[in-house]
């Protein structure tokens, strides 16, 4: 854990490991998603950079990255999840059992973390592949409901760009 990162959910909060919704599911982002994750975002760089929450952030890198660099990024996200300082989920197609086996096509990602600019606030962002853009509003609406129903955040402290 970096010295400036602290868990931002209560110690007794059971962090959800999945969400199964209409046409998609979430599971913690991990090494098992590397090849599919890399293909998903590298095929949609311009689309992701134009997505609310990603505009002006410089990610994803226009030049892409190697599979090894992407894997290192996924391992960092997995470590942050386990340390409870940030939560990154792979957005997978379909409504499989949500067992966390990594099966299914990667169609995007979800990120939940404490705000770097405004302590005490929660920053949420997600992207979907350009060929799944039609899912974007539905994903946003379902994740918003999930954040309010399951997560221990006051709704007024969540910054999640509208679609």
């Amino acid at each position: 854990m970096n010295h400036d990162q602290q868990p931002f959910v209560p110690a007794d909060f059971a962090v959800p490991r999945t969400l199964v919704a209409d046409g998609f599911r979430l599971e913690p982002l991990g090494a098992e998603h590397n090849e599919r994750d890399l293909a998903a975002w590298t095929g949609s760089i311009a689309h992701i950079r134009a997505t609310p929450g990603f505009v002006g952030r410089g990610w994803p890198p226009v030049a892409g990255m190697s599979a090894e660099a992407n894997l290192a990024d996924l391992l960092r996200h997995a470590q942050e999840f386990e340390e409870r300082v940030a939560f990154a989920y792979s957005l997978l197609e379909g409504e499989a059992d949500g067992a966390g086996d990594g099966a299914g096509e990667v169609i995007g990602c979800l990120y939940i973390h404490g705000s770097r600019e405004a302590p005490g606030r929660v920053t949420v962002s997600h992207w979907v592949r350009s060929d799944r853009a039609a899912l974007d509003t539905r994903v946003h609406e379902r994740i918003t409901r999930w954040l309010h129903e399951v997560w221990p955040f006051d709704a007024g402290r969540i910054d999640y760009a509208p679609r």
Side-chain angles (χ1 to χ4, degrees):
M1 180 180 327
N2 294 335
H3 68 280
D4 62 339
Q5 291 185 313
Q6 307 255 338
F8 78 106
V9 293
D12 63 348
F13 175 66
V15 176
R17 299 200 63 86
T18 191
L19 166 68
V20 178
D22 181 27
F24 70 91
R25 71 183 193 284
L26 299 174
E27 64 183 47
L29 189 59
E32 67 275 16
H33 302 113
N34 190 40
E35 183 178 320
R36 291 165 296 143
D37 176 75
L38 183 61
W41 70 258
T42 57
S44 299
I45 292 172
H47 175 74
I48 296 167
R49 286 177 150 244
T51 297
F54 292 87
V55 176
R57 284 185 34 195
W59 192 91
V62 174
M65 66 172 65
S66 69
E68 294 79 18
N70 195 68
L71 178 59
D73 200 39
L74 298 187
L75 292 173
R76 177 182 55 83
H77 284 304
Q79 184 67 33
E80 290 172 343
F81 196 107
E82 294 309 314
E83 292 174 351
R84 302 167 64 91
V85 299
F87 304 96
Y89 292 87
S90 188
L91 180 61
L92 301 163
E93 189 166 57
E95 298 175 26
D97 64 9
D101 60 5
E105 193 167 352
V106 172
I107 58 172
C109 282
L110 167 69
Y111 307 94
I112 304 169
H113 57 87
S115 174
R116 292 172 186 90
E117 294 80 28
R121 297 196 64 80
V122 177
T123 300
V124 180
S125 56
H126 84 267
W127 58 265
V128 295
R129 292 184 341 206
S130 58
D131 66 340
R132 299 301 195 278
L135 279 175
D136 199 37
T137 299
R138 183 171 33 165
V139 168
H140 186 274
E141 289 170 355
R142 184 60 186 100
I143 290 171
T144 297
R145 194 165 76 237
W146 184 59
L147 290 166
H148 294 163
E149 292 173 351
V150 176
W151 289 80
F153 309 130
D154 178 276
R157 301 179 72 80
I158 299 172
D159 298 320
Y160 189 13
R163 296 302 188 251

